Amino acid sequence: MKPVIVVHGGAGTIFKDREEGYRTGVKRAALKGYNILKNGGSALEAVEEAVVVMEDDPHFNAGCGSVLNEKGDVEMDAIIMDGKNLASGAVSAARCIANPIKLARLVMEKTDHMLLTDRGASIFAKAQGIPEVPGEMLVTDRSRERWKANLKPESNPAVPQIDLGTVGAVAIDSDGSVACATSTGGLTNKLVGRVGDTACIGSGGYADDLVGATSTTGHGESIMKVVLARLVLHHMEQGMTPEEAADAALSYMKERVNGHGGVIVISKSGGWTAKFSTKQMSWAAVTDGQLQCGIYQGENQITTVEEALALLLN
Ligand code: GLY
């Protein structure tokens, strides 16, 4: 099987001055994951490391760069899933760690549970030797400004957030195994303790070697209502291609609950797609030594991996 990785840096609206940062960020993440796959690494390792790259990049709403809750704090959700055996681990409302996706993987591998939340996640992180970082280190000027603007009496909480964020990755390795990983700071000015789709299996992501893998992004409450990631895989089980399945699931979410978002999908035979019903979604994919990337509907910039690496290193 030829390895493939697809990543997203969140569906929504990307402001003009941030477009290049998003493009560079998703390319870096996809190349990091592909390098692991090319050297014989597993899909699980590849998606984890790709997501770590985006959690560490302040452009994205995950890890450093996460949006703030109503009290001005960062609370993060993440999930990882291994298509080999349907093992999955997740954290929700996680605080003061740099990489929630790593903690999600430890939940999967070191506990009999699938999801640890808030204080329990913190206790577990400490027990696993994950360094605590001051909450302030995860907060960017931009996220603090947005939080403050949303607290103003004239701000309208009924207007849906347009730059939704979230990061994710799906991959297939040379053994034909698939995996997914998704990580987010959630919705800006969310209630303390709000858990979104990302931490919920079948909503924020799903991976099954018998079908394929998906990672989602968008309005979490809508995604949860239609269990978006599992819905995509369900359509593929019924014979749809990744593209058809993504379109059908996103249309259903729009028609049924007026929800918008995006998905990246990989099939058990290595077919893939990146689709969204929002104005934009940053995404990148690497397969066969070729890197593809886009932000707008219909955009697909294609370069060789060598060209992309040279550009990123300059
Ligand atoms: N999809 C991210 C969230 O709503 O939390």
Side-chain angles (χ1 to χ4, degrees):
M1 177 65 69
K2 280 184 183 152
V4 183
I5 184 158
V6 191
V7 309
H8 70 75
T13 296
I14 299 167
F15 296 102
K16 205 82 203 151
D17 59 328
R18 296 170 62 81
E19 283 183 1
E20 269 326 292
Y22 272 77
R23 279 202 183 88
T24 304
V26 287
K27 283 184 202 170
R28 265 190 222 289
L31 289 168
K32 174 83 184 198
Y34 188 67
N35 200 38
I36 290 168
L37 295 170
K38 213 180 60 184
N39 289 313
S42 69
L44 193 69
E45 287 170 63
V47 294
E48 179 184 8
E49 289 303 322
V51 164
V52 164
V53 169
M54 292 183 282
E55 287 179 335
D56 290 344
D57 183 335
H59 280 94
F60 300 106
N61 175 14
C64 176
S66 288
V67 298
L68 309 184
N69 67 15
E70 58 172 351
K71 297 286 181 212
D73 297 323
V74 168
E75 289 185 327
M76 301 167 290
D77 299 342
I79 191 166
I80 193 162
M81 184 162 184
D82 187 347
K84 263 198 203 89
N85 51 4
L86 306 188
S88 173
V91 291
S92 66
R95 291 163 182 261
C96 299
I97 53 167
N99 298 113
I101 200 65
K102 288 190 180 177
L103 190 59
R105 183 162 176 188
L106 288 169
V107 171
M108 178 175 90
E109 291 180 344
K110 305 281 185 194
T111 78
D112 294 329
H113 308 309
M114 289 179 64
L115 170 59
L116 291 179
T117 194
D118 199 354
R119 189 170 152 264
S122 298
I123 292 169
F124 178 67
K126 203 165 180 186
Q128 291 297 317
I130 302 247
E132 199 172 309
V133 298
E136 280 303 303
M137 269 182 62
L138 304 174
V139 179
T140 59
D141 289 346
R142 183 182 156 75
S143 55
R144 190 168 297 290
E145 278 158 24
R146 289 179 64 205
W147 169 71
K148 274 194 194 143
N150 283 330
L151 290 178
K152 287 185 182 153
E154 64 270 25
S155 85
N156 181 358
V159 174
Q161 185 181 329
I162 53 168
D163 49 338
L164 294 162
T166 299
V167 304
V170 292
I172 188 162
D173 58 31
S174 47
D175 293 334
S177 261
V178 297
C180 69
T182 312
S183 181
T184 191
L187 295 181
T188 193
N189 296 63
K190 64 189 179 181
L191 293 180
V192 172
R194 178 262 189 187
V195 176
D197 59 301
T198 299
C200 301
I201 188 166
S203 289
Y206 203 82
D208 181 349
D209 280 5
L210 301 182
V211 192
T214 305
S215 167
T216 68
T217 164
H219 182 241
E221 281 69 10
S222 302
I223 292 172
M224 284 189 276
K225 284 176 189 163
V226 302
V227 198
L228 186 63
R230 192 64 190 83
L231 182 60
V232 170
L233 261 63
H234 166 75
H235 287 317
M236 283 160 59
E237 283 168 326
Q238 306 305 309
M240 287 189 191
T241 64
E243 188 165 0
E244 289 165 347
D247 282 340
L250 288 170
S251 297
Y252 182 75
M253 184 165 82
K254 196 162 154 185
E255 281 153 24
R256 194 72 180 86
V257 297
N258 194 27
H260 294 82
V263 294
I264 48 173
V265 188
I266 210 153
S267 74
K268 65 177 180 186
S269 52
W272 65 272
T273 195
K275 302 288 283 193
F276 47 104
S277 57
T278 47
K279 183 176 169 207
Q280 288 151 292
M281 180 179 83
S282 53
W283 63 269
V286 189
T287 177
D288 258 343
Q290 194 177 61
L291 180 139
Q292 300 177 54
C293 159
I295 283 188
Y296 288 96
Q297 298 284 355
E299 178 189 348
N300 188 356
Q301 296 184 7
I302 305 177
T303 49
T304 64
V305 163
E306 287 71 29
E307 280 168 344
L309 281 172
L311 279 175
L312 288 178
L313 293 176
N314 276 334

